[in-house]
């Protein structure tokens, strides 16, 4: 059995070898850490994982629910082809503004569009822009099952539904009344058991669920 120190050292090894951050990503991560924003952005190795997955399904049209500061959006957009497009949805206007600033700095303004509003409201119109090749869900955890339903209708066959925080800080193991925990539990159960998906959770920092639509 490996101890925690060893695991952390191995995670660092993978991050440094496979997922070095450039200046734009490093500064954005620092700005998020210094702000009063919750530090809920993905890790560099998760960013790289998203890139590998998007390339595997040749994704060109991607939707993200939950922009935060744009950290994951920048990782994903860099894996898209020239004509690719990523729409990312953020509820909090200040976060959307921060994201736009860094998207600009990363020279990705033509590839990333940040939309402000509640995901569940914006999804109504976004259905008109379907099909998407992949959706990355990282918004309110309570909404995960509902977002998954939308994805079944609006992601092409052979496309991906990816979700962050599949472990919900370990709370996914508990019997909980918390709507967020229940949302994640329900999401995991559905992608694991519904025959329309081939799915797994990769045990990263907080678990990334990956569901291929058959
Ligand atoms: Mg997250």
């Amino acid at each position: 059995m490996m101890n925690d120190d060893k695991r952390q050292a191995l995670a660092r090894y993978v991050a440094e070898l496979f997922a070095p951050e450039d200046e734009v990503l490093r500064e954005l991560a620092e700005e998020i850490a210094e702000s009063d924003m919750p530090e809920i952005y993905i890790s560099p190795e998760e960013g790289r994982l998203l890139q590998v997955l998007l390339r595997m399904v040749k994704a060109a049209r991607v939707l993200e629910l939950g922009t935060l500061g744009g950290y994951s959006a920048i990782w994903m957009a860099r894996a898209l082809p020239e004509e690719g497009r990523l729409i990312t949805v953020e509820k909090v206007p200040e976060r959307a503004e921060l994201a736009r600033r860094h998207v600009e700095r990363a020279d990705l303004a033509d590839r990333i569009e940040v939309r402000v509003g509640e995901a569940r409201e914006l999804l109504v119109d976004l259905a008109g822009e379907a099909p998407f090749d992949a959706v990355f869900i990282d918004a309110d955890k309570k909404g995960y099952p509902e977002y998954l339903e939308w994805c079944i209708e609006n992601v092409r066959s052979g496309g991906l539904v990816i979700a962050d925080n599949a472990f919900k800080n370990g709370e996914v193991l508990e019997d909980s009344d918390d709507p967020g925990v229940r949302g994640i539990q329900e999401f995991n159960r559905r992608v694991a058991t519904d025959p329309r998906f081939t799915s797994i959770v990769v045990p990263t920092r907080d678990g990334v669920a990956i569901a291929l639509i058959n």
Side-chain angles (χ1 to χ4, degrees):
M1 235 1 218
M2 262 190 281
N3 62 28
D4 284 354
D5 284 352
K6 188 88 174 214
R7 278 186 200 288
Q8 277 173 21
L10 285 167
R12 260 198 316 277
Y13 165 79
V14 171
E16 283 166 13
L17 184 59
F18 290 88
E21 290 173 309
D22 69 350
E23 212 181 299
V24 175
L25 288 170
R26 209 166 34 240
E27 282 181 19
L28 176 51
E30 278 165 17
E31 200 170 330
I32 293 171
E34 284 164 12
S35 72
D36 54 1
M37 225 181 278
E39 284 183 53
I40 48 176
Y41 57 93
I42 60 166
S43 63
E45 57 271 34
E46 288 170 329
R48 190 63 177 152
L49 173 64
L50 290 174
Q51 291 188 334
V52 172
L53 292 168
L54 294 181
R55 287 262 166 88
M56 283 171 82
V57 303
K58 298 189 167 35
R61 295 178 49 74
V62 177
L63 173 64
E64 176 181 54
L65 305 179
T67 312
L68 188 63
Y71 186 86
S72 44
I74 291 172
W75 273 104
M76 288 192 286
R78 286 176 171 168
L80 302 183
E82 196 72 51
E83 72 285 2
R85 191 154 178 75
L86 181 135
I87 300 172
T88 180
V89 166
E90 174 55 51
K91 172 175 71 173
V92 183
E94 296 75 37
R95 293 180 185 173
E97 215 30 68
L98 173 72
R100 284 195 185 110
R101 212 154 23 86
H102 283 87
V103 163
E104 197 79 44
R105 283 209 49 208
D107 209 14
L108 288 166
D110 57 339
R111 216 176 278 182
I112 300 177
E113 183 195 341
V114 185
R115 294 192 191 175
V116 182
E118 287 280 350
R120 82 175 35 79
E121 285 163 24
L122 294 176
L123 283 175
V124 178
D125 282 343
L126 280 162
E129 296 169 59
F132 289 89
D133 300 310
V135 178
F136 177 54
I137 305 174
D138 196 12
D140 66 291
K141 309 310 165 199
K142 178 164 77 76
Y144 273 35
E146 189 184 331
Y147 304 147
L148 180 63
E149 285 307 307
W150 187 92
C151 288
I152 290 169
E153 299 298 320
N154 295 288
V155 177
R156 68 163 163 89
S157 168
L160 287 172
V161 183
I162 311 166
D164 188 32
N165 308 106
F167 291 160
K168 190 75 169 70
N169 262 320
E171 290 172 87
V172 77
L173 296 176
E174 294 158 18
D175 206 359
S176 172
D177 288 332
D178 180 87
V181 176
R182 296 185 87 119
I184 298 274
Q185 288 169 333
E186 178 61 23
F187 177 93
N188 287 342
R189 213 165 18 240
R190 285 197 207 170
V191 291
T193 57
D194 188 323
R196 287 175 293 186
F197 304 112
T198 304
S199 64
I200 190 64
V201 168
V202 178
T204 56
R205 172 194 55 110
D206 196 24
V208 172
I210 303 163
L212 180 74
I213 300 190
N214 296 325

